[in-house]
Amino acid sequence: MKEIRIENLHFRIGAKEILHGITADLPADRFVALLGPNGCGKSTLLKHLYRVHRVQEGQILMDGTPIAEIPLRAAAQEIGVMGQFHSVDFDFTVEEIALMGRAPYKESFEDDTAADRALVRAALERVGMADAAKRSFNELSGGEQQRVMLARCLVQEPRLLILDEPTNHLDIKYQLHILALVKGLGIGVIAALHDLNLAAMYADLLVVMKNGRIEHIGTPQEIITENMLESVYGVRANVAYDAAGLPLVDYRTEQLP
Ligand code: ADP
Ligand code: MG
């Protein structure tokens, strides 16, 4: 997939409109970070891309095809998803969860192959969870669960990864580890992120939302400015630039009242 075109997307739940006409062309083969304060609509927009929400008004085209016309199985082979909340009802082990990444390629009741199990081992290695393969998923910490869910995405071998706050339970070592890993896959990524400095380090394009609208789209240098921090997040901060020209946000200034 090359491009996702979103045209005038509105979304309502009951009487409440949550997305107020989103229009954007997003590359599906780069790293796109979706930013914005809590409740601005990031998860709602991502849920449209991974088809938890149906398009009510406006449209979403993936390489020119309206999203609803793409067969779910084809979409599941192409797009890997790591949502915001993970809970599994049964007592699956870590390797069983990771193996579920092969489901889009299987007929029902088709057995797992040695190749599937090799993919699982390699993916658990890459996220640093190989030693936990036999453990129960539900006993893991939030951060460990996040790494296993990413392994499941890797096992799926998607062309595009959609990640909703993929690092929110992770300590800084694994935040860096996971974002570098994802970036190193060389596939498309659309990720809702909170940390602006990490977004600037890893994303090619930043999309900033506020109150159900897209406010800004551009490169980290274009987007991360003192004005944007104040108008979108309501915080006062200094933006400096590192040797490579990447913006670095410094919040250690007096806040607005
Ligand atoms: P973000 O991911 O940017 O924090 P969300 O997309 O989760 O924001 O939510 C956007 C807005 O939509 C919020 O005001 C939220 O309360 C509301 N919202 C999301 N899902 C529902 C729902 N199922 N029912 C009612 N309101 C919802
Ligand atoms: Mg969210």
Side-chain angles (χ1 to χ4, degrees), residues 32-34 47-48 70 73 81 120-121 134-135 185 191 237 247:
V32 178
L34 194 54
K47 283 176 183 167
H48 280 82
I70 301 172
R73 194 177 170 87
V81 180
V120 165
R121 265 196 309 277
K134 302 287 179 199
R135 287 182 61 195
L185 296 173

Side-chain angles (χ1 to χ4, degrees), residues 13 16 18 36-45 47 53 84 164-165:
I13 295 182
K16 185 177 173 196
I18 293 174
N38 288 332
C40 70
K42 301 180 297 295
S43 296
T44 303
L45 179 57
K47 283 176 183 167
H53 291 325
Q84 215 166 354
D164 197 347
E165 299 188 18

Side-chain angles (χ1 to χ4, degrees), residues 38-136:
N38 288 332
C40 70
K42 301 180 297 295
S43 296
T44 303
L45 179 57
L46 292 178
K47 283 176 183 167
H48 280 82
L49 301 182
Y50 62 86
R51 311 227 337 231
V52 165
H53 291 325
R54 210 167 34 81
V55 175
Q56 295 172 344
E57 186 186 331
Q59 61 176 348
I60 300 177
L61 303 167
M62 293 189 163
D63 285 347
T65 305
I67 192 167
E69 292 174 17
I70 301 172
L72 274 176
R73 194 177 170 87
Q77 291 178 3
E78 181 113 355
I79 301 175
V81 180
M82 197 167 124
Q84 215 166 354
F85 301 103
H86 318 295
S87 70
V88 293
D89 293 331
F90 295 96
D91 193 23
F92 288 108
T93 65
V94 164
E95 65 186 359
E96 285 167 338
I97 296 280
L99 194 54
M100 290 174 191
R102 294 316 287 164
Y105 298 96
K106 300 270 173 199
E107 302 301 330
S108 41
F109 304 116
E110 194 180 327
D111 277 341
D112 315 312
T113 63
D116 295 332
R117 287 187 293 273
L119 276 170
V120 165
R121 265 196 309 277
L124 291 175
E125 287 284 346
R126 290 186 80 170
V127 302
M129 290 299 291
D131 290 346
K134 302 287 179 199
R135 287 182 61 195
S136 163

Side-chain angles (χ1 to χ4, degrees), residues 7-256:
E7 289 174 0
N8 196 31
L9 181 70
H10 289 258
F11 184 70
R12 292 176 194 85
I13 295 182
K16 185 177 173 196
E17 185 166 88
I18 293 174
L19 300 180
H20 309 292
I22 301 268
T23 295
D25 283 338
L26 303 178
D29 53 1
R30 309 297 301 278
F31 195 133
V32 178
L34 194 54
L35 306 173
N38 288 332
C40 70
K42 301 180 297 295
S43 296
T44 303
L45 179 57
L46 292 178
K47 283 176 183 167
H48 280 82
L49 301 182
Y50 62 86
R51 311 227 337 231
V52 165
H53 291 325
R54 210 167 34 81
V55 175
Q56 295 172 344
E57 186 186 331
Q59 61 176 348
I60 300 177
L61 303 167
M62 293 189 163
D63 285 347
T65 305
I67 192 167
E69 292 174 17
I70 301 172
L72 274 176
R73 194 177 170 87
Q77 291 178 3
E78 181 113 355
I79 301 175
V81 180
M82 197 167 124
Q84 215 166 354
F85 301 103
H86 318 295
S87 70
V88 293
D89 293 331
F90 295 96
D91 193 23
F92 288 108
T93 65
V94 164
E95 65 186 359
E96 285 167 338
I97 296 280
L99 194 54
M100 290 174 191
R102 294 316 287 164
Y105 298 96
K106 300 270 173 199
E107 302 301 330
S108 41
F109 304 116
E110 194 180 327
D111 277 341
D112 315 312
T113 63
D116 295 332
R117 287 187 293 273
L119 276 170
V120 165
R121 265 196 309 277
L124 291 175
E125 287 284 346
R126 290 186 80 170
V127 302
M129 290 299 291
D131 290 346
K134 302 287 179 199
R135 287 182 61 195
S136 163
F137 180 81
N138 285 326
E139 288 171 4
L140 303 179
S141 72
E144 290 168 334
Q145 290 185 346
Q146 242 164 349
R147 284 149 57 197
V148 173
M149 295 316 267
L150 180 64
R152 185 174 80 164
C153 286
L154 301 181
V155 163
Q156 195 182 337
E157 300 187 303
R159 301 305 308 154
L160 173 68
L161 268 180
I162 297 177
L163 308 172
D164 197 347
E165 299 188 18
T167 61
N168 62 337
H169 290 298
L170 300 178
D171 61 48
I172 185 64
K173 172 182 156 185
Y174 275 107
Q175 289 187 38
L176 292 164
H177 174 101
I178 293 297
L179 290 174
L181 189 166
V182 163
K183 176 94 175 173
L185 296 173
I187 64 175
V189 178
I190 301 181
L193 295 178
H194 263 303
D195 189 306
L196 299 174
N197 288 324
L198 291 179
M201 277 171 71
Y202 291 103
D204 303 301
L205 191 73
L206 305 187
V207 175
V208 182
M209 293 182 69
K210 183 183 176 186
N211 296 333
R213 293 190 171 79
I214 291 182
E215 295 274 304
H216 307 283
I217 297 187
T219 63
Q221 289 84 346
E222 289 165 345
I223 298 302
I224 297 185
T225 62
E226 288 162 14
N227 279 341
M228 186 282 285
L229 288 162
E230 189 155 337
S231 67
V232 174
Y233 289 93
V235 296
R236 199 174 276 169
N238 290 320
V239 177
Y241 296 87
D242 73 7
L246 283 180
L248 281 170
V249 181
D250 179 357
Y251 300 101
R252 289 170 299 171
T253 47
E254 195 190 332
Q255 291 303 307
L256 299 173

